[in-house]
Amino acid sequence: MSRSKTKDKNNDFRELVKYSKPVGFGGWDSLVRTDVIGIRYSKKGGHLFPVHPNKYDDKIRELLETKKSR
């Protein structure tokens, strides 16, 4: 299991958790099996949702590029 944690535009925390086995289906246009769960934390509580696997890879790439530019 791996995790990445960021803040979104509303200053709420978002976390992506990648598991070793599929945990559900994610995507907008067509659903695909996914092993990634998104967690959004806010003042009103937490919300869990399945995330398309490509979105996880994109976010990891974005975080790595941000670290390199610092």
Side-chain angles (χ1 to χ4, degrees), residues 10-50:
N10 297 326
N11 219 18
D12 295 335
F13 280 104
R14 286 188 179 257
E15 187 171 2
L16 294 175
V17 181
K18 186 168 184 159
Y19 292 91
S20 58
K21 295 181 181 179
V23 292
F25 292 90
W28 291 102
D29 297 332
S30 62
L31 296 176
V32 297
R33 288 185 81 67
T34 184
D35 56 354
V36 182
I37 293 291
I39 306 169
R40 183 176 55 87
Y41 303 98
S42 68
K43 293 178 184 175
K44 296 181 180 180
H47 179 70
L48 295 149
F49 50 93

Side-chain angles (χ1 to χ4, degrees), residues 39-69:
I39 306 169
R40 183 176 55 87
Y41 303 98
S42 68
K43 293 178 184 175
K44 296 181 180 180
H47 179 70
L48 295 149
F49 50 93
V51 176
H52 194 286
N54 291 347
K55 292 290 182 184
Y56 178 82
D57 295 335
D58 292 344
K59 181 53 83 177
I60 293 299
R61 238 180 273 116
E62 180 184 313
L63 290 171
L64 288 173
E65 288 172 5
T66 303
K67 282 185 178 179
K68 286 179 185 176
S69 66

